[in-house]
Amino acid sequence: NNNNNNNNNNNNVNPNNINNNSNAIARSNSVTSMAPKSTVPVASCSTAIEAPDEIFAFDEGGRVLTWNLDVELNCDVYNCVSELQVHKQNIYAMVYSEPLGCLITAGEDAIIHMNYLSGVVPTFNDVPLPTILEGHEGRVTGLALLNGGLLASVSFDRTLRIWDLATMKSVGSEPKMHDAPIQALEYCAEREELATCGMGNRVRVWNLKRPSHPFVSYVLDHSEAESDLLTNSNNSIMGNSTANATAAGINPASSLGISTKNLLLTGSGPGSGPGSGNMTWLTRSEAPAAAITSAHGIVLEAILSGNVDIPEVTQVRWVSFKGCWVTAADDDMIRLWNTEGRKIHQFSYSGGSVQCLFVDRVNRLLLAGMLNKNAYVYDLDDPMPLAVFKGHRDVIKGIGYVKESDTYVTCSWDQTLRLWHRPHPQRKGASNGGGG
């Protein structure tokens, strides 16, 4: 878009939309993620390649779509050239192993598929290797290629499994990694660490220098700051009366964010009430300070922490050019962590929960696909976005970088893939949030 007057249209889609083959896109189900050939988890798509002539996308129908650059046209146009039915159900993770020339997929059926693009299956002791890895008991939600020709997989069964791709055998597993199903992972090759997050507020970073015996190195605890604040504020009133709370300088009612009316009390027998020995009391939206008089110990702690919003982590990525981890949570905050598990920086964002994070190592940028169907481009040294990519009609579930054309590619549940111009640093101070 060469017209300078259009600089105020923050997110003009590249006219050479990747969706040139509209029939191919229309036949697909909701596209969930994509990546160029790379050796990193496809959900992150965080490695640019020198000759990005193919892009792979997978959908909820268990298919993998292959997109090739149309060399006959002098523009960035990709055509869908093949559709491969790999799984019977939704695919959740995909990585590409360059040494093996293999596209590795996993999904709802708890099976990991090896898809050799040449059609030739490697052999071990003159016997063809199996093309399926089984062992998980729930949907496989993440894959990562490790050093030494190994593969890591995580699942809703809360288990981490390590596979040797040379023999297609398991070399180790770690059950019950989290208290909830695991929904994301990221591998840091230079430190040989693997970060995993379940449906909670903690990211666990595992040491994989001995892949058969992983152990937790440190934890990125998103509840630490909030719980410390709560503990410091309410430490003197745990198990004590309202009078002690007042003496500590804390109004129990105000600490709960409530007023003093509309208390709902329930109990057993005529003696039920605030003074009864085994009374259970509930609040609707408000409760009086007097109700806390009868609460003590863990009950009082639960009441006082009820108004604290503990963030749930949705994404984790390794930022190699800063040597730190970056996480996104549902409290509209992006946080940076050092390699000892301490938070070093955070900034807020708008647009709803982060659906995917992508680290552009070439241009040292961070891209986030938000619940509001837009993608935001950030310089991690500045919380203001360099650009906002608008145009998708549903949430974005995958982001990648095409170095050859200096564009970003996004895929969405609206069944389209789109190309976007990379914003340049000189647009950083633009009042509308940048170009794209």
Side-chain angles (χ1 to χ4, degrees):
N1 191 342
N2 294 321
N3 188 344
N4 291 330
N5 292 331
N6 286 331
N7 285 339
N8 290 328
N9 299 328
N10 320 349
N11 319 286
N12 294 319
V13 180
N14 188 331
N16 306 318
N17 194 316
I18 199 168
N19 184 21
N20 242 332
N21 191 338
S22 58
N23 292 330
I25 286 290
R27 290 199 305 271
S28 71
N29 294 322
S30 299
V31 179
T32 56
S33 191
M34 53 78 225
K37 286 182 179 179
S38 63
T39 57
V40 297
V42 168
S44 66
C45 310
S46 55
T47 297
I49 56 177
E50 295 300 326
D53 55 351
E54 289 183 292
I55 292 177
F56 302 102
F58 57 82
D59 66 18
E60 66 182 2
R63 295 178 302 166
V64 174
L65 287 73
T66 305
W67 302 79
N68 282 357
L69 184 65
D70 193 334
V71 296
E72 296 181 359
L73 298 177
N74 189 25
C75 57
D76 304 322
V77 175
Y78 285 78
N79 293 320
C80 184
V81 296
S82 70
E83 298 179 10
L84 179 64
Q85 188 72 45
V86 179
H87 295 259
K88 295 181 179 180
Q89 296 173 292
N90 198 356
I91 299 176
Y92 288 103
M94 178 170 63
V95 292
Y96 176 76
S97 172
E98 188 172 1
L100 297 177
C102 182
L103 198 65
I104 307 171
T105 59
E108 184 74 40
D109 54 12
I111 295 175
I112 302 172
H113 277 269
M114 308 288 292
N115 308 284
Y116 297 95
L117 301 185
S118 64
V120 178
V121 179
T123 61
F124 183 74
N125 292 335
D126 297 328
V127 177
L129 290 172
T131 57
I132 291 178
L133 297 172
E134 296 181 288
H136 284 293
E137 299 178 357
R139 66 174 66 166
V140 180
T141 52
L143 298 171
L145 291 164
L146 312 180
N147 296 339
L150 302 178
L151 175 73
S153 62
V154 294
S155 165
F156 261 38
D157 62 9
R158 300 182 293 160
T159 300
L160 164 69
R161 293 185 178 272
I162 308 295
W163 313 85
D164 187 346
L165 296 181
T167 61
M168 294 292 287
K169 293 182 179 180
S170 175
V171 298
S173 65
E174 182 67 27
K176 298 181 180 179
M177 298 178 65
H178 290 265
D179 296 330
I182 304 171
Q183 58 183 1
L185 86 164
E186 174 80 343
Y187 182 60
C188 170
E190 52 263 46
R191 293 181 54 84
E192 295 187 275
E193 291 180 341
L194 185 76
T196 61
C197 67
M199 295 179 177
N201 51 46
R202 290 177 174 86
V203 175
R204 295 180 179 176
V205 182
W206 301 79
N207 185 305
L208 291 185
K209 292 182 179 180
R210 295 181 61 195
S212 58
H213 297 85
F215 63 89
V216 177
S217 292
Y218 48 93
V219 176
L220 313 181
D221 191 348
H222 292 63
S223 66
E224 187 174 16
E226 290 82 357
S227 61
D228 286 348
L229 177 61
L230 179 68
T231 302
N232 293 336
S233 299
N234 302 320
N235 185 50
S236 61
I237 65 172
M238 290 296 127
N240 294 330
S241 65
T242 307
N244 290 334
T246 305
I250 301 171
N251 184 334
S254 62
S255 69
L256 284 167
I258 54 180
S259 63
T260 57
K261 56 184 177 180
N262 295 338
L263 175 67
L264 174 63
L265 297 176
T266 63
S268 57
S272 298
S276 60
N278 195 24
M279 184 272 297
T280 302
W281 58 277
L282 306 173
T283 60
R284 288 176 176 161
S285 60
E286 302 172 324
I292 302 181
T293 305
S294 61
H296 57 85
I298 191 173
V299 176
L300 181 59
E301 182 179 359
I303 297 169
L304 293 173
S305 62
N307 68 319
V308 178
D309 184 15
I310 303 298
E312 180 174 314
V313 186
T314 59
Q315 299 288 326
V316 58
R317 293 289 179 264
W318 171 252
V319 185
S320 57
F321 53 85
K322 282 189 171 292
C324 68
W325 297 98
V326 59
T327 61
D330 62 1
D331 61 348
D332 298 340
M333 297 292 293
I334 291 177
R335 297 170 172 86
L336 275 65
W337 309 78
N338 66 13
T339 54
E340 296 178 353
R342 289 196 292 268
K343 184 172 62 177
I344 56 178
H345 181 57
Q346 70 178 25
F347 61 90
S348 60
Y349 61 84
S350 60
S353 177
V354 174
Q355 301 296 297
C356 63
L357 273 181
F358 169 69
V359 178
D360 179 1
R361 300 173 183 172
V362 177
N363 302 293
R364 302 170 68 92
L365 297 174
L366 177 73
L367 284 81
M370 307 294 190
L371 191 61
N372 66 355
K373 310 169 190 176
N374 301 331
Y376 295 75
V377 185
Y378 293 98
D379 181 339
L380 288 176
D381 294 325
D382 188 344
M384 294 299 295
L386 299 177
V388 183
F389 298 155
K390 296 181 179 179
H392 280 295
R393 297 183 301 277
D394 210 331
V395 294
I396 297 170
K397 301 298 290 187
I399 304 174
Y401 175 64
V402 182
K403 185 177 180 181
E404 188 177 59
S405 57
D406 196 21
T407 57
Y408 293 112
V409 56
T410 58
C411 70
S412 165
W413 279 353
D414 65 7
Q415 306 179 26
T416 64
L417 282 74
R418 294 173 182 259
L419 289 174
W420 314 82
H421 291 297
R422 178 178 65 86
H424 297 285
Q426 58 265 30
R427 290 188 175 182
K428 186 173 180 179
S431 60
N432 60 3

